Amino acid sequence: MHYFKWAFIVTILGLALGAALGWQMTGTVGGTLTIFFICVVLAVLEISLSFDNAIVNANKLKDMTPLWQRRFLTWGILIAVFGMRIVFPLLIVVVAANVGPWTAMVMAASEPERYAEIMHDAHLPIAAFGGTFLMMVGLSFFFNNEKDIHWVRWVEEKASQYSSVKGIEIAFVLCVMLVFSKVIESRLGTAQSNIFFHSAIWGLLTFLLVEVLGGVLDRSQQLMEGAAKGGLGAFLYLEVLDASFSFDGVIGAFALTQNLFIIAIGLGIGAMYVRSMTIMLVEKGTLTQYRYLEHGAFYAILILSVIMYVQTLTHIPEVITGLGGAGLIGISLWSSIRWNRRHPGESPTHH
């Protein structure tokens, strides 16, 4: 439980702040309770959507130097909570409505309906960008010729065999992008299709640039310090990954409330639990104890990326997204426990 100490503290402070905000906005007990409840639901939504995020973070963090681990868990959480939950929704409005940051802040406080409308209109490019980035993250895990533990054997063995073909995952993602842009063109028109395709290309390019930049930075750090891999480059990769996970939660939150400050409280509480889970997974070595846990997380990421693409055409409730991801991770955990029982003497990560 001590891993979740700060998460509990932030939960108490956040919910108290939510109740105070509710009282100030409505002046009634009923209104205050409603806003308090929305904060709780948003926090639960963020936690359920972020199980896979915590596992992937832990997977990358275990290879990072202790210094950069600490930096990610302190600076990284500040960027995740304030950057993605407060600054990011403001930036969307700044760009989409072509207004200044202060005007966007005022709009969030005084015209929440207009603010939510702009956020809703920006959903297609954000879903295309985030979906493409996460699809690349998921496929890179499976198209890896060094990967020798397979959960869904017939799929993963094939992916591992073909991973030596250069750029296979990029070709796969480009094909999916082309198919979706054609469907969007027939349903929503050429303009929307072009927006989708351009945003998806930026998502793909961002993934590749982060990979390249990460490799260059970590290599130069190794030469300077003789340090283990996983410094600044891995930190940047995790931040962009965190952002891609956040897109879904931030946009989905506007379906529950149009108040930016309530959204920031609810999602901020959830983000603290993700941080706590990440620390626990790294320090307890949970990923090495449970053989298939990572696999479940990366399947959840692939499903989330497809859902983000489908959401450009039709709304899919966040409950389905959250339950789907959590369900896959639950099944992978159960499979890992079964494997451990059948092979009591072996290490779970024994190749």
Side-chain angles (χ1 to χ4, degrees):
M1 290 299 280
H2 79 273
Y3 287 105
F4 293 93
K5 182 180 75 177
W6 280 104
F8 292 144
I9 292 168
V10 169
T11 303
I12 293 161
L13 291 174
L15 293 178
L17 197 60
L21 197 63
W23 181 258
Q24 190 213 338
M25 283 165 59
T26 62
T28 64
V29 174
T32 304
L33 286 173
T34 303
I35 287 170
F36 179 85
F37 179 68
I38 289 171
C39 288
V40 172
V41 171
L42 284 172
V44 172
L45 173 77
E46 179 69 9
I47 294 164
S48 67
L49 287 172
S50 301
F51 271 126
D52 39 5
N53 191 1
I55 292 168
V56 177
N57 281 355
N59 178 40
K60 195 79 175 171
L61 270 170
K62 69 177 193 284
D63 295 330
M64 286 167 80
T65 58
L67 175 69
W68 278 101
Q69 282 184 359
R70 279 198 304 278
R71 283 175 178 170
F72 175 73
L73 294 168
T74 48
W75 302 349
I77 198 66
L78 285 173
I79 296 167
V81 175
F82 296 105
M84 283 312 301
R85 275 75 181 176
I86 300 170
V87 178
F88 168 68
L90 283 173
L91 279 179
I92 289 177
V93 175
V94 167
V95 173
N98 200 13
V99 296
W102 179 249
T103 314
M105 274 288 278
V106 172
M107 191 192 293
S110 58
E111 298 177 71
E113 292 85 5
R114 167 127 174 75
Y115 188 90
E117 194 183 319
I118 293 169
M119 282 293 290
H120 181 74
D121 291 345
H123 185 250
L124 185 132
I126 290 166
F129 179 95
T132 307
F133 187 91
L134 289 178
M135 201 177 288
M136 282 301 296
V137 168
L139 290 173
S140 299
F141 176 77
F142 294 109
F143 285 108
N144 179 0
N145 55 5
E146 290 175 12
K147 179 178 169 293
D148 48 11
I149 292 175
H150 305 303
W151 182 32
V152 184
R153 192 167 285 277
W154 57 278
V155 174
E156 293 175 35
E157 277 182 352
K158 276 274 183 288
S160 199
Q161 281 167 16
Y162 288 111
S163 61
S164 54
V165 180
K166 261 192 168 46
I168 187 165
E169 60 268 55
I170 298 170
F172 182 87
V173 170
L174 283 168
C175 289
V176 176
M177 278 159 53
L178 283 167
V179 168
F180 264 90
S181 63
K182 283 286 173 222
V183 175
I184 289 167
E185 189 175 3
S186 65
R187 294 269 190 93
L188 306 173
T190 309
Q192 294 294 313
S193 171
N194 287 343
I195 290 169
F196 171 86
F197 196 74
H198 280 114
S199 304
I201 287 288
W202 275 110
L204 180 61
L205 197 58
T206 303
F207 177 85
L208 296 173
L209 287 174
V210 168
E211 286 275 290
V212 169
L213 188 62
V216 170
L217 289 171
D218 287 349
R219 187 177 161 78
S220 63
Q221 269 190 321
Q222 277 176 37
L223 294 173
M224 277 161 48
E225 305 162 12
K229 62 175 179 156
L232 182 60
F235 179 85
L236 283 174
Y237 174 83
L238 281 174
E239 286 305 325
V240 178
L241 183 68
D242 231 26
S244 299
F245 274 107
S246 307
F247 291 153
D248 210 37
V250 170
I251 302 281
F254 277 89
L256 285 171
T257 175
Q258 294 170 346
N259 188 305
L260 176 71
F261 308 106
I262 295 170
I263 287 171
I265 291 167
L267 298 184
I269 291 170
M272 283 302 292
Y273 282 92
V274 176
R275 175 185 180 274
S276 302
M277 273 193 281
T278 303
I279 296 171
M280 188 180 80
L281 290 170
V282 172
E283 290 189 0
K284 281 193 166 296
T286 308
L287 294 180
T288 53
Q289 288 168 24
Y290 299 106
R291 183 182 171 93
Y292 302 124
L293 198 56
E294 279 175 274
H295 298 64
F298 281 99
Y299 276 118
I301 286 171
L302 282 176
I303 286 173
L304 176 61
S305 69
V306 172
I307 285 173
M308 285 175 96
Y309 266 26
V310 173
Q311 278 183 333
T312 59
L313 295 163
T314 181
H315 176 68
I316 296 171
E318 276 64 34
V319 175
I320 292 174
T321 317
L323 286 177
L328 269 168
I329 289 164
I331 295 166
S332 67
L333 181 65
W334 175 71
S335 293
S336 306
I337 292 166
R338 273 184 61 194
W339 191 91
N340 289 348
R341 280 184 187 152
R342 284 180 183 169
H343 308 81
E346 282 185 60
S347 157
T349 49
H350 178 72
H351 301 316

